[in-house]
Amino acid sequence: MSQAPGAQPSPPSVYHERQRLELCAVHALNNVLQQQLFSQEAADEICKRLAPDSRLNPHRSLLGTGNYDVNVIMAALQGQGLAAVWWDRRRALSQLALPRVLGLILNLPSPVSLGLLSLPLRRRHWVALRQVDGVYYNLDSKLQAPEVLGNEDGVRAFLAAALAQGLCEVLLVVTKEVEEKGSWLRTD
């Protein structure tokens, strides 16, 4: 079947979960892996494994609404045979070997609001970035739809802007082999 002249090809199917409760870590994991692999229940199980004797689990919200910490993300990725590598913000982003990276998970400050009222508070928010069919996307669960970042230059520009704002942490999601060899870092 041919397309009409001037018609744009349909965009690739990009998996994107939207924000619910304080489950941004769960959404970031599923978005970076491009499928629903994790749920709130699965994240809570990881929390219990990480702190089995704790009455108040330090890896999630006291209210049970999510707000999972980096340990939960790292354990979830390990369970999938993957690894999370902290990006050292002192390195130039040109040293990042993006083709060796499955995806990125950022931890960013995020404003707090009650309905239309914005409060002068900031909380932490997990955001996934991922390449699908040669195009990088911002898969922030607070977005209505995935945001196109474009090619490697586009994702590097996005990362540079996020890191320049301060208080941004970047996790590289890589295979165990890439982690062990350190091949997420360019040597040329």
Side-chain angles (χ1 to χ4, degrees):
M1 177 185 219
S2 64
Q3 289 184 314
Q8 295 292 320
S10 61
S13 178
V14 178
Y15 184 83
H16 178 244
E17 286 184 4
R18 298 279 319 278
Q19 184 74 26
R20 189 174 66 81
L21 300 172
E22 293 180 297
L23 300 178
C24 59
V26 171
H27 301 314
L29 282 164
N30 289 336
N31 288 341
V32 82
L33 298 173
Q34 284 295 283
Q35 59 184 312
Q36 185 181 0
L37 290 173
F38 297 99
S39 63
Q40 182 175 7
E41 294 75 23
D44 286 342
E45 281 303 313
I46 292 170
C47 288
K48 288 176 190 170
R49 283 197 317 266
L50 292 172
D53 300 325
S54 179
R55 291 187 99 171
L56 298 175
N57 197 294
H59 303 290
R60 67 176 178 203
S61 165
L62 295 175
L63 302 176
T65 56
N67 199 22
Y68 301 102
D69 71 11
V70 69
N71 299 294
V72 175
I73 289 175
M74 293 176 81
L77 291 170
Q78 287 172 354
Q80 296 298 308
L82 299 169
V85 177
W86 284 102
W87 176 256
D88 184 345
R89 70 177 64 241
R90 296 169 295 186
R91 292 185 190 274
L93 286 170
S94 60
Q95 292 181 303
L96 177 56
L98 279 169
R100 306 287 297 160
V101 175
L102 177 68
L104 302 103
I105 298 179
L106 283 62
N107 189 250
L108 304 165
S110 180
V112 176
S113 60
L114 294 173
L116 297 174
L117 178 63
S118 184
L119 301 175
L121 303 171
R122 292 228 181 262
R123 303 226 27 209
R124 305 300 295 174
H125 180 61
W126 296 105
V127 173
L129 307 180
R130 171 75 191 249
Q131 183 191 72
V132 177
D133 291 338
V135 178
Y136 284 92
Y137 293 89
N138 174 358
L139 301 170
D140 184 346
S141 58
K142 289 186 178 182
L143 295 174
Q144 293 289 326
E147 175 184 76
V148 174
L149 299 176
N151 60 15
E152 285 188 24
D153 291 338
V155 78
R156 287 180 206 283
F158 182 89
L159 288 170
L163 289 166
Q165 291 179 8
L167 302 177
C168 171
E169 299 295 335
V170 177
L171 287 174
L172 310 177
V173 178
V174 297
T175 63
K176 290 284 188 189
E177 178 186 356
V178 167
E179 178 195 31
E180 289 166 4
K181 291 182 178 178
S183 58
W184 49 268
L185 195 59
R186 282 185 172 163
T187 56
D188 53 321

